[in-house]
Amino acid sequence: MRLKRSGRIAACTATALAAGMLLAGPASADGAPKPTTELQLPKVNMRGTGALPKAAPTTGTQQKQNLQRSADAPATATVGASVKPRFDVDGDGSDDLLYRDLGGDHYLKKSSNPTAADETINVQKADYDEDFKDLIPAGDLNHNGYPELLQLSITGQLSMVEVASTYLTNGVTWSSRGWNAYNKLIAAGDMTGDGNPDLLARTHGGALYLYPGTGRAGTDTPYGDRIQVGSGWGKFDQIIGGADYNADGIADVLATAPTGEMFFYAGTGNINSPFADGVQNGMGWTIYNQISPLVDGDGKTWVLARELSGTSYLYPSLGNGQLGDRLKFGTNWEYTSLLAGQGAIAAHGKGEVLGRSGSSLYGYVGKQNGNFADRFLIGEGGDFPSEFGLTLTSSMNKENAGDLLITYNGVLYGPQGEIGGGWDIYKSLLGVGDLDNDGYGDLLALDKSDVLWMYPSQGNSHNFASRIRVGGGWGIYNKLLGAGDITGDGRADLVVRGTDGALWVYPGTGSGTAPLTDRVKIGSGGWNGFNKLAAVGDITGDGRGDLMGVDSSGTAYRYSPTGLQGLNTFSGRGTIGTGWNTYGQLF
């Protein structure tokens, strides 16, 4: 459902669902939806705390944390050359930090005024109705003193704006399509030695390409033709660039693997081979769900790292490819859905769960710490009877929130009202996410003969293209889950539970004609012990979709993908809370 600030009410007719909402309206006397309030966000300050570094830390402020540093790292930093910051908005020579909260508001944390409250920033969009999938601080591309910001849409459109203070000077000046060929874009800094910031792009298959900067911005094309510079980069779950970690004045790359190792790739300045072979420089990085680079006013480089709890830390570069002991940066970052320039694949689709108790419906907004904010009432007794089939899909439009579909007497209703009849031929519907790589979440429908069909979304949460047969024989499963990205490649996957309690994933392919590939077992058994299973989207902030299971006692557990494959897909579980047997169904 659509997340809104508290106190805002949707307007709709008595025969339609609330426009723009992720949730449907309650039933009226004739069974059609009626108006209701929107899903409300937590009533808290969602700004993250912490002061950005302007220079090296004073003695004694660091915390001993050898876990993330190799044993042979020196104790003091090496003095050397530096690179320019990627996102110096206030002009003080240090990076500023741009981030987005759960409600879609953007904030700018300035290094020049560390004690001031983070300012709201109006990030002008190429499409007003679209929520960005990712934001990439690109650096000062045309060397005029103002940094450029790249906006990646869910449909693969990359747009550019120039940023000054907390407003955009010229609006969207350049756009290019086709970037959905990649699952990650990285602002690389100057890797070619010509003084122009470059861009790295990784495909879903792990190939890495360099787009060399042209020294132009505005309406001019900022990047030249791509050059393949690597393969096998799909093994990394986070990649960051645009900073200098060995003090030679050339931008380097850091990458972390799902097993926790960090690797340092030294920049060479060679356009055809822009970095040397990777060298492991740390371990234990699985405790962080987001990392991002920063450059301070002395030209020194830092790595900002956020834990699941929402506490963030800073690691100083030691000037030889190693990182020093961490310092605590700040708290309250569990409400941040996106750090601009972060290293993981950004999630898009949904991050909430609904529970039906009798004929009442409640909602929980997922935070980025693996849990939920306090519940709120969507519709009270009688509004959502069991005769209403409910399906909470991953977003089928440009908004970063799910859509609730209702089936009643064979008629399907969506956020804009009645979609159409004849849906009683299906025994279940689920919204797994974007299966055909057009950016919009699609609908899967399982008919009474156990044949699975895909209805491609048309991007408005209301219209579908002609259905496509996925395959038959799905009766061997007792639960199908629209899980988002489970495998860590940026594509939506389908998770299913067998009648024997085993758990499987059908990885998404991005193909509109064959959207799923062969299944892989990710749970050897015991999953029938959960009387309720739900795909809740990314509630851990790492870009991968999480699962929620409730046992007979009413205790709910979170299973978060590791980025590894097969039976290592889930390394363990976290407790969400008790009392969930209040609900007969979760969506």
Side-chain angles (χ1 to χ4, degrees):
M1 58 190 63
R2 181 61 174 156
L3 305 183
K4 294 291 184 181
R5 291 292 178 185
S6 59
R8 298 178 64 181
I9 305 297
C12 59
T13 68
T15 59
L17 300 181
M21 296 169 57
L22 294 178
L23 54 94
S28 63
D30 62 0
K34 69 179 183 182
T36 186
T37 56
E38 294 173 334
L39 188 153
Q40 295 186 4
L41 290 163
K43 298 178 181 179
V44 298
N45 182 2
M46 296 190 189
R47 290 174 171 86
T49 66
L52 292 172
K54 291 182 64 63
T58 58
T59 303
T61 61
Q62 291 173 288
Q63 300 180 2
K64 197 68 175 175
Q65 180 71 7
N66 288 327
L67 178 65
Q68 275 71 49
R69 191 179 69 185
S70 295
D72 59 350
T76 58
T78 301
V79 178
S82 63
V83 297
K84 295 180 179 179
R86 298 178 308 164
F87 203 63
D88 179 15
V89 178
D90 55 19
D92 69 342
S94 298
D95 267 324
D96 303 307
L97 185 62
L98 175 65
Y99 62 97
R100 180 175 67 201
D101 72 11
L102 295 176
D105 289 334
H106 295 85
Y107 300 99
L108 185 67
K109 183 179 290 292
K110 292 183 176 181
S111 59
S112 61
N113 195 353
T115 61
D118 298 344
E119 299 179 33
T120 301
I121 179 170
N122 177 28
V123 181
Q124 189 168 341
K125 302 179 179 181
D127 184 336
Y128 178 79
D129 295 323
E130 185 161 31
D131 291 335
F132 308 125
K133 182 175 182 179
D134 207 354
L135 290 170
I136 304 104
D140 183 6
L141 297 180
N142 58 354
H143 310 287
N144 69 346
Y146 298 108
E148 272 70 44
L149 179 68
L150 299 176
Q151 311 164 1
L152 180 63
S153 78
I154 60 168
T155 59
Q157 181 177 5
L158 190 64
S159 303
M160 182 176 67
V161 294
E162 188 176 75
V163 185
S165 186
T166 52
Y167 61 92
L168 305 182
T169 56
N170 296 315
V172 175
T173 57
W174 170 86
S175 289
S176 172
R177 294 195 173 274
W179 295 86
N180 50 356
Y182 306 107
N183 65 12
K184 186 62 189 172
L185 300 180
I186 304 108
D190 177 20
M191 301 201 74
T192 64
D194 63 357
N196 298 319
D198 307 311
L199 185 70
L200 290 171
R202 183 183 63 179
T203 68
H204 295 84
L208 192 67
Y209 290 88
L210 173 71
Y211 285 84
T214 62
R216 298 190 296 270
T219 58
D220 294 327
T221 303
Y223 301 106
D225 294 338
R226 72 178 189 175
I227 302 167
Q228 185 169 353
V229 294
S231 59
W233 284 75
K235 65 185 178 182
F236 297 120
D237 57 353
Q238 298 209 52
I239 305 172
I240 56 175
D244 178 17
Y245 298 96
N246 61 355
D248 64 355
I250 303 173
D252 308 310
V253 172
L254 292 181
T256 63
T259 49
E261 295 95 342
M262 175 179 277
F263 293 86
F264 164 66
Y265 289 83
T268 65
N270 186 326
I271 189 171
N272 293 306
S273 182
F275 39 76
D277 292 339
V279 177
Q280 184 178 336
N281 68 340
M283 60 197 72
W285 285 82
T286 54
I287 66 174
Y288 299 115
N289 54 24
Q290 294 287 344
I291 61 172
S292 185
L294 294 168
V295 175
D296 69 24
D298 287 344
K300 293 183 174 61
T301 297
W302 304 74
V303 173
L304 174 65
R306 182 182 69 176
E307 284 186 335
L308 181 64
S309 66
T311 300
S312 294
Y313 297 87
L314 285 170
Y315 286 86
S317 170
L318 297 178
N320 66 341
Q322 302 278 353
L323 301 178
D325 294 330
R326 71 180 187 180
L327 347 80
K328 186 176 180 180
F329 176 60
T331 59
N332 211 48
W333 291 94
E334 64 269 28
Y335 298 103
T336 296
S337 62
L338 180 67
L339 285 170
Q342 50 80 33
I345 299 173
H348 178 95
K350 71 174 182 179
E352 60 270 1
V353 67
L354 307 183
R356 178 159 57 186
S357 177
S359 55
S360 298
L361 192 66
Y362 297 86
Y364 294 82
V365 176
K367 297 188 288 186
Q368 300 290 275
N369 63 355
N371 215 316
F372 299 98
D374 294 340
R375 78 172 188 176
F376 62 93
L377 179 67
I378 297 173
E380 55 190 352
D383 288 338
F384 288 90
S386 59
E387 291 82 5
F388 277 23
L390 304 181
T391 302
L392 182 60
T393 73
S394 187
S395 177
M396 296 189 297
N397 57 33
K398 298 177 181 180
E399 297 175 340
N400 185 24
D403 296 290
L404 186 68
L405 304 180
I406 292 180
T407 50
Y408 179 65
N409 285 339
V411 178
L412 182 65
Y413 296 87
Q416 300 177 47
E418 182 178 328
I419 293 175
W423 291 83
D424 49 356
I425 65 173
Y426 299 112
K427 58 183 181 181
S428 65
L429 304 175
L430 64 153
V432 67
D434 177 23
L435 291 172
D436 57 6
N437 202 37
D438 66 354
Y440 306 118
D442 304 305
L443 187 67
L444 291 178
L446 182 64
D447 70 21
K448 295 176 181 178
S449 299
D450 293 320
V451 176
L452 191 65
W453 303 83
M454 181 178 78
Y455 284 85
S457 171
Q458 299 297 283
N460 57 12
S461 304
H462 189 77
N463 297 109
F464 299 97
S466 299
R467 70 178 187 174
I468 298 168
R469 190 179 192 272
V470 178
W474 292 82
I476 63 174
Y477 305 116
N478 60 23
K479 187 68 175 179
L480 278 66
L481 294 167
D485 177 22
I486 291 292
T487 61
D489 64 356
R491 297 197 188 281
D493 308 309
L494 173 64
V495 170
V496 297
R497 181 179 63 186
T499 55
D500 61 352
L503 204 66
W504 304 79
V505 62
Y506 285 84
T509 65
S511 167
T513 56
L516 303 173
T517 190
D518 294 339
R519 70 178 187 174
V520 178
K521 181 178 281 191
I522 58 176
S524 57
W527 288 82
N528 279 336
F530 295 117
N531 53 38
K532 287 178 282 291
L533 274 175
V536 297
D538 177 24
I539 61 171
T540 55
D542 60 3
R544 297 185 286 264
D546 304 303
L547 301 183
M548 175 181 176
V550 180
D551 65 18
S552 58
S553 72
T555 301
Y557 298 94
R558 180 194 71 252
Y559 288 83
S560 298
T562 60
L564 302 173
Q565 308 302 311
L567 295 178
N568 294 315
T569 296
F570 301 109
S571 62
R573 66 185 187 184
T575 302
I576 292 177
T578 59
W580 288 85
N581 50 8
T582 299
Y583 304 111
Q585 294 172 292
L586 295 178
F587 310 97

